[in-house]
Amino acid sequence: GEDVEQSLFLSVREGDSSVINCTYTDSSSTYLYWYKQEPGAGLQLLTYIFSNMDMKQDQRLTVLLNKKDKHLSLRIADTQTGDSAIYFCAESANDYKLSFGAGTTVTVRA
Amino acid sequence: DVKVTQSSRYLVKRTGEKVFLECVQDMDHENMFWYRQDPGLGLRLIYFSYDVKMKEKGDIPEGYSVSREKKERFSLILESASTNQTSMYLCASKRGGGTEAFFGQGTRLTVV
């Protein structure tokens, strides 16, 4: 079955870059996602990447995909206090199932 | 904007009670999902539905059932609530063939 792993905590200084890493096991994954969850809220899609892409950039966000190693990363440039949240990596191989990692809690310190 | 609405933000129920968690989406999405979220475990899929009256078990269906009588509404049922079902429950919906799943705000259920 699918398995998605990510580290649980990341602390970063305001203005620095954050890098959140994720590994997955399902080689048939079609889409890979990063979701953000702010305190007391549901999940919000930040960005996603097709499995045939290596990189996707969207303003301060850069997603890198190494399909050979099944490794996905999210880089947040110029991290701000509003970026403090839980970030979930997820993968999908079909229309019906998203498999999530445990979530990385990012804390931005002044 | 797509809206996924869960009927309650917080619920407190007693052990053995029958509990209904309701979810409504307003974008005519075919697929709807129920997850539970626990610290260190991420989101785990309980059940999903790809059409009215259709349902499939996810990874942790034990102790739960679901109902989808109308396309916009997907209900999660705890037949006899137990303390190990204390958790955050998240509903999501997704268009068939679409890429993005939209989530509700979550229901924090405490079973005492």
Side-chain angles (χ1 to χ4, degrees):
Chain A
E2 301 87 4
D3 193 21
V4 180
E5 293 190 355
Q6 53 184 125
S7 54
L8 293 182
F9 301 100
L10 176 67
S11 178
V12 62
R13 188 172 298 175
E14 189 175 10
D16 288 351
S17 292
S18 309
V19 179
I20 309 167
N21 294 299
C22 169
T23 58
Y24 61 97
T25 58
D26 189 352
S27 57
S28 63
S29 297
T30 306
Y31 299 102
L32 295 122
Y33 303 84
W34 285 104
Y35 277 83
K36 178 183 181 183
Q37 185 182 36
E38 296 183 355
L43 274 68
Q44 177 187 8
L45 181 67
L46 271 182
T47 186
Y48 66 91
I49 189 168
F50 294 106
S51 59
N52 62 358
M53 296 171 64
D54 298 323
M55 186 182 91
K56 181 178 180 181
Q57 189 154 2
D58 183 4
Q59 298 182 340
R60 292 191 298 122
L61 305 178
T62 303
V63 178
L64 294 177
L65 174 61
N66 182 328
K67 196 173 180 182
K68 174 176 169 291
D69 294 338
K70 299 189 185 68
H71 182 268
L72 182 74
S73 68
L74 174 69
R75 178 176 179 269
I76 307 173
D78 188 25
T79 310
Q80 303 298 308
T81 54
D83 295 324
S84 291
I86 305 175
Y87 292 80
F88 290 93
C89 171
E91 63 86 20
S92 175
N94 60 50
D95 208 20
Y96 305 128
K97 191 171 181 183
L98 273 176
S99 294
F100 286 85
T104 300
T105 299
V106 173
T107 303
V108 181
R109 59 187 193 279
Chain B
D1 281 351
V2 173
K3 196 165 184 182
V4 180
T5 304
Q6 295 182 229
S7 54
S8 303
R9 291 294 304 275
Y10 301 94
L11 276 179
V12 180
K13 296 292 181 180
R14 293 195 182 278
T15 301
E17 275 193 79
K18 189 169 186 176
V19 181
F20 293 86
L21 302 183
E22 306 287 348
C23 175
V24 176
Q25 50 96 2
D26 65 359
M27 280 302 289
D28 203 37
H29 285 171
E30 291 83 3
N31 302 322
M32 295 188 75
F33 308 83
W34 275 106
Y35 291 87
R36 65 177 280 175
Q37 179 183 2
D38 299 288
L41 297 177
L43 275 71
R44 294 178 291 167
L45 181 65
I46 305 171
Y47 268 96
F48 66 94
S49 169
Y50 53 89
D51 202 350
V52 175
K53 296 191 188 297
M54 306 305 289
K55 60 185 179 184
E56 292 287 341
K57 293 180 180 179
D59 298 318
I60 51 163
E62 297 78 18
Y64 303 95
S65 63
V66 289
S67 172
R68 192 158 180 210
E69 296 297 317
K70 293 185 178 181
K71 193 174 186 180
E72 68 269 20
R73 186 180 296 270
F74 192 35
S75 303
L76 180 69
I77 303 154
L78 287 67
E79 294 289 342
S80 177
S82 63
T83 54
N84 63 12
Q85 292 178 309
T86 291
S87 186
M88 170 71 86
Y89 290 88
L90 291 165
C91 174
S93 76
K94 181 171 170 287
R95 180 176 56 82
T99 51
E100 181 175 358
F102 295 86
F103 283 81
Q105 288 183 292
T107 296
R108 185 165 293 283
L109 172 67
T110 302
V111 183
V112 298

